[in-house]
């Protein structure tokens, strides 16, 4: 295991966690459709209890994603999470708001009423995917930060900090980039597509399933428009590459070159797109098919994995700096020491066992479809 292999390996694991996180945002997507999928109060409770069984998976994956970045690429963690903290604080606030809304909407003494917390779930369902998608888009569009490693060894430096944000917005300036918004909106509508597919599969209610087919088409069309627009923009735009000496340079159509050089990623991307399209088409055209969440979920993981690997592999700067080109982060200049990566490699061998437990827990929760009788119990949200 060379140092280079460990860098590539850990970028793969971080990318896989990011891909799983996007899939698990079906929770946010379903919540954003809460009031249209569940037309009655009983229908809304069915949707809330369906997603309420899974929101911990999404939140845990988000925390794990951040922890993996901190352990393997600490300079990114300090730069993005420390510099763009307003962006990340809003994201975390919406997820905390989600957890509170699930637990307190039907508790005794809730003077705000259930509808208040249901609207909070809708807010998380829109802002969460939008801002997380925007954060991912900065991997391709760049962020406004500076990295000065000499500050750590400069005795005269008053602020021995490696990285800092170059303006006072601390990450909120990302939403001023129209292409960041386009990618963020594509994630919002993708989450809605996944959320509708999941609820149709998980809830045994004919009214919700019939509404889901119509709402699915309304979410799929804007998703495809935004996603295809951004994908074309990505393949044609100049990208951020680095030489063997570590110098960051601009390369025309860098990401297109990455997919052509790493043809296996292109195949993964295309297979993922086909699976998502199949799930949407099959669900819309069939009155009995409700298993679309599985091909769509696998497809989303493949597409996001291919995009994130394209952002970091093949001598690509995965976190470009728009303030100073040479401050851009790569998997080489931002990773942990070889000893740390090697030690964590052995720890990561436990991941398949953790995934097996998650699959078992998921199966145990969903082995019986949710129905109106079940939400009448004392353990329902």
């Amino acid at each position: 295991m060379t140092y280079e292999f460990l860098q590539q390996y850990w970028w793969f694991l971080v990318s896989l966690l990011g891909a799983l996180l996007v899939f698990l945002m079906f929770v946010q997507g379903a919540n954003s459709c809460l009031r249209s999928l569940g037309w009655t109060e009983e229908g809304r409770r069915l949707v809330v209890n369906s997603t309420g069984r899974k929101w911990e998976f999404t939140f845990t994956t988000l925390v794990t994603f951040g922890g993996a970045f901190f352990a393997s690429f600490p300079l990114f963690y300090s730069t993005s999470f420390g510099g763009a903290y307003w962006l990340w604080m809003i994201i975390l606030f919406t997820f905390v708001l989600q957890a509170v809304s699930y637990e307190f909407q039907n508790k005794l003494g809730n003077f705000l009423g259930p509808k208040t917390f249901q609207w909070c779930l809708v807010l998380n369902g829109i802002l969460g995917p939008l801002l997380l998608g925007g954060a991912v888009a900065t991997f391709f569009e760049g962020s406004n930060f500076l990295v000065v490693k000499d500050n750590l060894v400069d005795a005269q430096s008053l602020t021995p900090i490696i990285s800092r944000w170059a303006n006072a917005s601390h990450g909120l300036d990302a939403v001023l980039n129209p292409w960041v918004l386009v990618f963020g909106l594509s994630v919002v509508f993708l989450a809605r597509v996944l959320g509708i597919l999941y609820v149709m599969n998980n809830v045994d209610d004919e009214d919700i399933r019939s509404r889901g087919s119509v709402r699915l088409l309304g979410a799929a069309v804007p998703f495809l428009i935004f996603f295809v627009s951004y994908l074309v923009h990505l393949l044609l735009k100049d990208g951020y590459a680095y030489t063997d000496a570590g110098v960051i340079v601009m390369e025309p159509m860098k990401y297109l070159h990455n997919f052509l050089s790493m043809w296996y990623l292109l195949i993964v991307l295309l297979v993922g797109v086909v699976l998502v399209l199949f799930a949407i088409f099959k669900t819309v055209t069939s009155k009995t098919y409700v298993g679309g969440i599985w091909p769509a979920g696998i497809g989303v993981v493949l597409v996001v994995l291919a995009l994130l690997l394209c952002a970091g592999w093949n001598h690509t700067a995965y976190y470009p700096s728009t303030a100073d080109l040479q401050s851009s982060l790569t998997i080489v200049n931002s990773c942990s020491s070889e000893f740390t990566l090697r030690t964590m490699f052995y720890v990561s061998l436990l991941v398949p066992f953790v995934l097996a437990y998650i699959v078992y827990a998921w199966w145990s929760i969903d082995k019986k479809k949710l129905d109106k009788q079940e939400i009448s119990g004392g353990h329902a949200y």
Side-chain angles (χ1 to χ4, degrees):
M1 289 189 298
T2 64
Y3 196 17
E4 181 181 2
F5 166 79
L6 291 169
Q7 292 163 352
Q8 304 277 349
Y9 172 79
W10 276 102
W11 182 252
F12 171 81
L13 281 189
V14 168
S15 299
L16 181 59
L17 285 171
L20 291 173
L21 175 61
V22 174
F23 160 64
L24 289 171
M25 281 198 294
F26 68 76
V27 173
Q28 280 65 41
N31 288 341
S32 69
C33 304
L34 175 62
R35 305 192 71 82
S36 58
L37 276 178
W39 191 249
T40 63
E41 185 60 36
E42 191 176 49
R44 287 190 285 271
R45 287 202 67 191
L46 281 170
V47 175
V48 169
N49 279 271
S50 176
T51 59
R53 297 175 170 187
K54 296 296 188 303
W55 72 267
E56 292 97 336
F57 287 102
T58 310
F59 192 82
T60 303
T61 305
L62 175 63
V63 174
T64 306
F65 175 70
F69 246 132
F70 171 73
S72 53
F73 302 99
L75 188 51
F76 168 82
Y77 189 90
S78 66
T79 301
S80 182
F81 290 81
Y85 56 80
W86 281 122
L87 177 65
W88 289 107
M89 284 298 291
I90 294 174
I91 292 173
L92 290 175
F93 174 75
T94 64
F95 275 86
V96 172
L97 190 64
Q98 176 200 54
V100 172
S101 299
Y102 275 121
E103 297 299 331
F104 286 96
Q105 59 181 299
N106 288 305
K107 292 290 186 182
L108 293 176
N110 171 21
F111 64 92
L112 295 175
K115 288 186 178 180
T116 301
F117 288 109
Q118 287 176 2
W119 279 112
C120 288
L121 290 177
V122 174
L123 181 66
N124 168 255
I126 297 173
L127 280 183
L130 177 65
L131 296 180
L132 276 173
V136 172
T138 60
F139 285 5
F140 304 103
E141 303 299 326
S143 293
N144 203 4
F145 63 90
L146 297 170
V147 175
V148 185
K149 294 184 178 181
D150 291 341
N151 282 347
L152 285 181
V153 295
D154 186 1
Q156 297 180 347
S157 176
L158 299 177
T159 56
I161 300 173
I162 294 179
S163 55
R164 62 180 177 85
W165 219 248
N167 57 42
S169 68
H170 292 290
L172 294 181
D173 53 312
V175 298
L176 298 178
N177 185 327
W179 286 112
V180 169
L181 285 178
V182 167
F183 190 83
L185 288 171
S186 71
V187 176
V188 170
F189 286 104
L190 172 62
R192 290 170 75 95
V193 168
L194 293 173
I196 294 168
L197 290 174
Y198 174 76
V199 171
M200 290 179 66
N201 176 261
N202 183 246
V203 176
D204 186 12
D205 185 83
E206 189 60 35
D207 181 59
I208 287 180
R209 287 179 175 175
S210 62
R211 288 179 178 278
S213 297
V214 179
R215 300 299 182 273
L216 177 61
L217 189 60
V221 171
F223 159 66
L224 291 174
I225 292 174
F226 285 120
F227 178 73
V228 172
S229 299
Y230 189 82
L231 186 60
V232 172
H233 159 74
L234 178 66
L235 296 178
L236 297 180
K237 76 184 295 289
D238 294 346
Y240 301 80
Y242 64 92
T243 65
D244 292 335
V247 179
I248 311 295
V249 295
M250 299 300 297
E251 180 180 326
M253 294 188 288
K254 169 62 176 172
Y255 302 106
L256 176 60
H257 295 161
N258 280 0
F259 278 119
L260 294 177
S261 299
M262 299 182 288
W263 53 268
Y264 43 89
L265 290 186
L266 180 60
I267 293 176
V268 170
L269 177 70
L270 294 177
V271 170
V273 170
V274 169
L275 286 173
V276 173
L277 293 177
F278 166 79
I280 294 172
F281 178 79
K282 181 74 171 177
T283 304
V284 171
T285 57
S286 174
K287 294 183 179 180
T288 59
Y289 182 72
V290 293
I293 182 61
W294 303 119
I298 295 172
V300 166
V301 170
L302 294 178
V303 170
V304 177
L305 179 62
L307 288 175
L308 291 178
L309 291 178
C310 178
W313 282 358
N314 197 37
H315 279 234
T316 309
Y318 70 85
Y319 200 49
S321 171
T322 57
D324 173 33
L325 189 62
Q326 300 311 313
S327 293
S328 302
L329 303 185
T330 70
I331 63 173
V332 175
N333 66 16
S334 65
C335 67
S336 296
S337 67
E338 183 176 0
F339 173 79
T340 301
L341 295 182
R342 187 181 298 273
T343 302
M344 292 194 305
F345 170 83
Y346 295 111
V347 176
S348 72
L349 297 179
L350 298 174
V351 169
F353 298 97
V354 177
L355 289 177
Y357 171 76
I358 292 173
V359 170
Y360 173 75
W362 188 299
W363 175 81
S364 299
I365 294 172
D366 281 358
K367 60 183 177 181
K368 181 183 181 300
K369 302 294 184 184
L370 185 67
D371 53 27
K372 295 178 181 179
Q373 183 178 0
E374 194 165 344
I375 64 172
S376 61
H379 297 290
Y381 287 111

